Amino acid sequence: MAHVSGERGQATRQRLLDAAVALVPEVGWGGVTTRLIAERAGVAPGVVHYHFPSVTDLLVTAGLGVTGALLDRLAEELSASPGIEESVDWLVGELSRYSGTDPASLLLTEMFLAATRLPQLRERLFEQLAAFRSRVAAWLVRRGHGGDDAYATAVMLAAAVDGVMLHRALDPDFDLAAIAGPLRALLGHGED
């Protein structure tokens, strides 16, 4: 019986996380309340605080789950790619999935803003970002980049991806194909 209860608790916790991820793009980080989360998850408001000490803790956990998975997938795909050309093609294709105003883009934008005010979010988001940068730098070194330059290039790549997502929200005619050449130049240093 305890096993069923534990599974039910995990399922409820996941519904709360999913509700938070869906609500942030709709109402903004600061607009998410216990009541909204409970309604979206189909639970009583007290259940939210049974699983999380605060709405902020729930939002941080939910958001970091999304960013962690996204950064891991980006790093894995880049690392698995045989060369810079293929990596850039894949990355430009991946970025085309995000308009800047889609739910995932809005969640990331809200998280970045919230991180300026919430030290625990800023620290944990930076840990994820630093791990992503290190993985990309290691991939670049395998592709012929120098050590220190590879990490700086990984920093620039991460900033470029973030910037593209922000710019697409403001410029619906943003030409992703036009950035492929500069990205190849950024990443291609040292590759034969």
Side-chain angles (χ1 to χ4, degrees), residues 6 30-31 36 55 63-64 68 75 78 83 85 103 120 128 130 136 153 170-171 190:
L36 286 173
V55 169
L64 290 170
L78 289 173
E85 184 85 19
Q120 77 269 26
Q128 290 179 342
V136 170
T153 302
L170 301 174
D171 180 3

Side-chain angles (χ1 to χ4, degrees), residues 2-189:
H3 180 67
V4 171
S5 176
E7 287 176 2
R8 193 172 21 239
Q10 282 299 101
T12 299
R13 181 179 169 85
Q14 188 59 52
R15 283 199 326 267
L16 294 170
L17 293 167
D18 293 343
V21 166
L23 285 166
V24 169
E26 293 174 19
V27 300
W29 189 277
V32 177
T33 64
T34 299
R35 182 185 57 76
L36 286 173
I37 293 170
E39 286 175 5
R40 182 63 60 95
V43 299
V47 173
V48 174
H49 295 290
Y50 175 79
H51 287 276
F52 296 93
S54 69
V55 169
T56 299
D57 288 318
L58 170 55
L59 292 174
V60 167
T61 301
L64 290 170
V66 170
T67 55
L70 178 64
L71 290 170
D72 282 349
R73 192 167 73 74
L74 285 174
E76 283 175 27
E77 289 290 335
L78 289 173
S79 295
S81 186
I84 299 299
E85 184 85 19
E86 297 86 357
S87 297
V88 169
D89 290 345
W90 176 83
L91 185 58
V92 169
E94 185 66 15
L95 288 172
S96 71
R97 296 179 44 205
Y98 303 98
S99 66
T101 58
D102 63 280
S105 296
L106 293 173
L107 175 65
L108 294 175
T109 301
E110 289 283 339
M111 284 183 68
F112 271 84
L113 182 59
T116 65
R117 296 180 183 98
L118 299 170
Q120 77 269 26
L121 176 58
R122 181 175 52 252
E123 291 164 10
R124 293 183 58 202
L125 193 54
F126 176 72
E127 288 171 5
Q128 290 179 342
L129 184 59
F132 171 79
R133 290 171 174 177
S134 293
R135 289 176 69 186
V136 170
W139 166 70
L140 288 168
V141 167
R142 290 192 305 273
R143 297 291 177 271
H145 263 277
D148 290 340
D149 187 44
Y151 189 81
T153 302
V155 169
M156 289 300 299
L157 177 64
V161 168
D162 294 339
V164 165
M165 291 180 80
L166 289 171
H167 284 240
R168 290 199 74 203
L170 301 174
D171 180 3
D173 297 324
F174 190 102
D175 183 8
L176 282 170
I179 67 168
L183 281 176
R184 283 186 193 94
L186 172 71
L187 299 175
H189 174 73

